[in-house]
Amino acid sequence: MAVAPAARRGRLALLVLSILALLAGMWAGLERLGWTLPVFEPALAAAHGPLMVSGFLGTLISLERAVAIQEPWAYAAPLLSGLGGLALLGGMPAPVGPLLITLGSLGLVGIFGRIMWRRLAWFTVVMEAGALAWLMANVAWLAGAALPVVVSWLAGFLVLTIVGERLDLSRLVGRDRGRQAVFIAIVAVYALGLALVGATGQRIAGIAMAGLAGWLWRYDIARRIVGRPGLPRFIAVGLLSGYAWLGVGGVLWMVFGGALAGPRYDAMLHAVFLGFVFSMVFAHAPIILPAVLGRAVPYRAWFYSHIALLNLSLVARLAGDLGDWYSVRAWGGLLSVAAILLFLLNTLSSAATARPARPHTQGPRS
């Protein structure tokens, strides 16, 4: 069914909140890399991680799930996390932003709980586990824990949410109990890694991430559709590049688990948070936005430009991290920002020339 104008405006406002957090988070990231930029808020650089993971991605995921279940109360989750990101951006007193984001993550737990009530399946359980990981990270952060301490749970939020959705879609290429059992075993190992604190836990999580990358590369529908022209091939290329980065990230977590700062820590995080997660965002945007806003995002050949630039930037950044070439690392970070801005430009220009679209009845895919 079509999206009513009032609903479209409300969803657009929430989407704008998430994009504001994204832009602020990228600005903070460039500051952390040493680029000289105007300082709008002294504490902005320290908020880079929360703005990107919670203010942007948490709000975006909560919004698409609220649209999927079609219940008004669910929109409180993206609203709270979006306002939390705005509070961080505005430099409000310390408890305000973390508290709002924590309440938003609690709302997402409720949303996935509702989804599980409607349909109890392994993929809904895995996505609920991802929401719980986000909540646990935010509660610890609100209690005063340093971000490096909770970074594994933040990664768990995104990894589990995404792979749970891909498990659901893998059913499109046939049912196989053995294949599903392997997936659940790997997720169990990953959950163990998240539960443990410190280097050992991160190394176990790294093993599991590499295992999930291999499972997704082997069984996800992306390999079946990469030979098709147009949008299916673009989505498949984005998905497969994301799985490759998840594998790279898993290896880095195995090798450098326990790092709390420095270039190795930077490589661990950005292979997963940027390489894996943003490849998935790029791939799914032409599906998510029409479902959320009721406006199509027609495939354009130039969409490959932002995926190519993202991959190039990550190769440069990780080379700089692992080789202690700080200028290469800084330029890699700048190119990553350029890739995300190019993605926004390409997506908005495509949507601006499209006709209003009817959203999918089952809601958007994460």
Side-chain angles (χ1 to χ4, degrees):
M1 60 181 177
V3 180
R8 185 183 295 113
R9 288 193 294 270
R11 295 175 188 179
L12 179 60
L14 294 172
L15 186 61
V16 168
L17 280 178
S18 72
I19 292 175
L20 284 175
L22 170 64
L23 296 175
M26 291 192 297
W27 190 277
L30 291 177
E31 288 185 4
R32 293 172 67 90
L33 285 170
W35 292 100
T36 303
L37 301 171
V39 178
F40 298 109
E41 166 54 46
L44 186 62
H48 167 65
L51 284 167
M52 297 295 290
V53 176
S54 297
F56 172 56
L57 293 165
T59 301
L60 184 63
I61 291 171
S62 299
L63 174 59
E64 62 168 329
R65 288 298 154 183
V67 172
I69 69 170
Q70 299 181 0
E71 295 186 16
W73 64 268
Y75 289 94
L79 177 61
L80 287 165
S81 60
L83 291 176
L86 194 63
L88 294 176
L89 171 59
M92 295 185 69
V96 176
L99 177 60
L100 288 171
I101 288 172
T102 302
L103 292 173
S105 61
L106 180 61
L108 185 61
V109 170
I111 291 173
F112 279 120
R114 180 61 171 160
I115 293 173
M116 287 177 59
W117 178 263
R118 292 180 178 180
R119 183 178 183 184
L120 183 60
W122 278 116
F123 72 90
T124 60
V125 172
V126 171
M127 289 190 286
E128 175 71 304
L132 286 169
W134 188 29
L135 177 61
M136 291 169 63
N138 289 328
V139 169
W141 178 42
L142 183 62
L147 286 174
V149 175
V150 301
V151 72
S152 294
W153 287 337
L154 292 175
F157 160 48
L158 298 172
V159 170
L160 290 173
T161 301
I162 292 170
V163 302
E165 181 69 15
R166 300 316 302 176
L167 174 63
D168 178 25
L169 292 180
S170 73
R171 296 179 302 115
L172 298 176
V173 296
R175 297 179 181 273
D176 185 320
R177 290 185 181 275
R179 179 177 68 194
Q180 181 172 278
V182 171
F183 178 89
I184 298 305
I186 298 172
V187 169
V189 172
Y190 188 55
L192 174 63
L194 296 182
L196 296 175
V197 178
T200 299
Q202 288 190 339
R203 290 192 173 104
I204 292 173
I207 293 170
M209 282 191 284
L212 287 170
W215 190 95
L216 289 165
W217 188 279
R218 173 66 179 84
Y219 295 116
D220 191 84
I221 196 174
R223 292 183 63 206
R224 303 287 184 95
I225 65 174
V226 72
R228 302 178 188 176
L231 180 60
R233 177 178 293 163
F234 168 76
I235 292 175
V237 168
L239 294 175
L240 293 172
S241 64
Y243 302 155
W245 283 114
L246 181 61
V248 170
V251 172
L252 292 173
W253 283 58
M254 281 187 269
V255 175
F256 301 120
L260 298 178
R264 310 302 185 262
Y265 174 77
D266 184 83
M268 284 171 53
L269 265 58
H270 288 88
V272 176
F273 286 104
L274 193 55
F276 172 57
V277 174
F278 272 85
S279 292
M280 306 303 284
V281 172
F282 288 4
H284 286 94
I287 302 172
I288 292 173
L289 289 180
V292 171
L293 300 177
R295 176 170 289 276
V297 181
Y299 163 75
R300 310 295 186 196
W302 62 73
F303 283 5
Y304 284 101
S305 62
H306 49 258
I307 285 187
L309 186 55
L310 178 68
N311 282 278
L312 175 65
S313 71
L314 278 163
V315 169
R317 181 166 190 154
L318 266 63
D321 282 331
L322 300 179
D324 292 321
W325 302 321
Y326 294 100
S327 62
V328 175
R329 172 190 172 190
W331 278 102
L334 183 63
L335 288 176
S336 292
V337 170
I340 296 172
L341 292 176
L342 182 60
F343 156 70
L344 293 175
L345 177 63
N346 286 343
T347 303
L348 291 174
S349 63
S350 176
T353 59
R355 296 178 180 178
R358 295 176 65 185
H360 300 286
T361 56
Q362 293 182 344
R365 298 293 190 179
S366 58

